[in-house]
Amino acid sequence: MISIAPEVASALEGKTGVVALESTVIAHGLPSPHNLETAAGCESAVRAAGAVPATIGLIDGCPVVGLNSDQIRAIAGRSDVAKVNLANLAQIIAAGGWGATTVAATLHLTQTARIRVFATGGIGGVHRGAGESFDISSDLTALASYPVVTVCAGAKSILDLPKTLEALETLGVPVVGYQTSELPAFYSRSSGLKLDLRADHPVEIVRLALTHWGMGFRSSILLVVPVPEEDEIPYAEISDTIDESLKMATDRSISGKALTPFLLAQIAERTAGRSLRANIALLKNNARVAGEIARVMADEEKIRPTSEV
Ligand code: PSU
Ligand code: MN
């Protein structure tokens, strides 16, 4: 039911590091032509770190782990590519459709392929106003369910970050700051929210992950990496823009799956592309860090296999 690219399969067998990458950011998160350039840039960053990239999506109803460049171009360009989470994954497969996988659906397929490291931009989480709307991303459900080191730049700052952090704790997902003691806020390096866990080197993450899974836990380790300093937008500079974009979404009754893509596009327009540059920079940086972790994990796997996790 799932197709694994030969390069990815042989990397997994030969215990070379593999990094899973998602495709919703390609189809719905970034505008053309930045989406294609960034998808290629993330794959290059993983390779430069010594690991093999596996971008994941649905082609004609088939989940593909390790999309080739033609398939990535099609996902970026077609207008009939669904945004796939846990609730509609089976439906799109059964219908033979095309799909771009969110963090949630990518994590499911990452675990199916026995890949242990995954990189994205910012995870979904508890939306602001969730007390009324109940809009909480299935990314959180997936993070609680699949044993993968998930590398991100924190939750998207369009969300309610304190509530997202509380939800992650409730779900038993360790949130680890990478060379930081604070939760990064996607476009911004700091959110003011302190983290209990911190790691400064890939080896520390790998040891934590193997200990966590070795104890029988099934959840992800969420590694949060601040956006590179030169591309950061400090929170004080972007918070008004986020609030205005949220208000516009409310006025236009935009909700559900359309909300996150709408907000990201609004913010990019209102910052004249500055948020887009930050988003692209953090995606590539996360791919690089994930590649380094995957390489260490692959070495460690030769001693302590995670294949039965
Ligand atoms: N990171 C980005 N851009 C994105 C996303 C992540 O830099 O567009 C996507 C991910 O696929 C994530 C999704 O799972 O946004 C969250 O969507 P929602 O809030 O509707 O669950
Ligand atoms: Mn949602």
Side-chain angles (χ1 to χ4, degrees):
M1 269 232 322
I2 126 171
S3 155
I4 301 184
E7 189 196 8
V8 173
S10 62
L12 286 168
E13 216 152 279
K15 301 207 194 306
T16 307
V18 176
V19 174
L21 298 165
E22 55 137 322
S23 48
T24 288
V25 64
I26 304 172
H28 305 289
L30 298 170
S32 173
H34 302 283
N35 53 355
L36 261 188
E37 282 165 23
T38 306
C42 287
E43 292 208 344
S44 305
V46 169
R47 287 190 196 282
V52 172
T55 303
I56 295 178
L58 305 184
I59 306 286
D60 280 330
C62 178
V64 178
V65 176
L67 295 164
N68 65 35
S69 54
D70 288 339
Q71 293 170 323
I72 291 178
R73 196 169 312 117
I75 286 205
R78 291 172 69 116
S79 56
D80 60 346
V81 180
K83 179 173 164 184
V84 180
N85 60 29
L86 299 180
N88 64 349
L89 178 58
Q91 187 251 323
I92 306 292
I93 293 172
W98 283 65
T101 49
T102 59
V103 167
T106 307
L107 274 171
H108 179 86
L109 296 169
T110 298
Q111 159 65 5
T112 306
R114 301 279 186 268
I115 297 171
R116 295 281 162 242
V117 185
F118 162 51
T120 180
I123 58 160
V126 180
H127 278 271
R128 300 189 200 180
E132 280 301 310
S133 69
F134 265 60
D135 189 349
I136 300 174
S137 177
S138 69
D139 290 1
L140 297 185
T141 314
L143 288 166
S145 314
Y146 304 117
V148 174
V149 174
T150 298
V151 181
C152 69
K156 295 199 200 71
S157 38
I158 55 172
L159 301 169
D160 186 323
L161 296 183
K163 286 196 180 67
T164 300
L165 208 48
E166 290 292 349
L168 286 164
E169 179 166 270
T170 302
L171 294 166
V173 176
V175 181
V176 185
Y178 192 62
Q179 299 167 353
T180 182
S181 302
E182 229 187 278
L183 180 73
F186 198 55
Y187 305 125
S188 320
R189 289 175 63 85
S190 56
S191 63
L193 298 166
K194 293 279 169 254
L195 295 174
D196 293 334
L197 309 179
R198 170 186 175 129
D200 293 307
H201 193 276
V203 168
E204 293 170 61
I205 314 292
V206 171
R207 287 199 187 130
L208 172 67
L210 295 180
T211 304
H212 187 70
W213 302 330
M215 293 177 73
F217 289 114
R218 306 286 295 157
S219 51
S220 276
I221 302 289
L222 188 65
L223 186 69
V224 292
V225 184
V227 58
E229 224 163 307
E230 58 275 22
D231 299 295
E232 164 185 47
I233 312 179
Y235 190 69
E237 281 175 45
I238 197 154
S239 70
D240 284 352
T241 306
I242 293 173
D243 292 346
E244 287 156 18
S245 305
L246 281 160
K247 186 176 177 303
M248 189 159 193
T250 310
D251 291 348
R252 295 193 186 178
S253 306
I254 291 165
S255 63
K257 282 190 155 154
L259 182 60
T260 296
F262 174 82
L263 292 172
L264 295 179
Q266 268 299 313
I267 294 165
E269 197 180 311
R270 287 165 187 265
T271 60
R274 194 171 163 209
S275 72
L276 186 59
R277 280 194 296 281
N279 199 346
I280 293 169
L282 68 85
L283 280 159
K284 291 181 188 165
N285 189 52
N286 294 345
R288 172 187 64 83
V289 171
E292 289 167 6
I293 291 166
R295 223 192 46 221
V296 173
M297 178 93 78
D299 286 342
E300 194 72 19
E301 274 231 297
K302 289 170 189 147
I303 313 160
R304 290 199 270 177
T306 64
S307 43
E308 60 277 359
V309 168

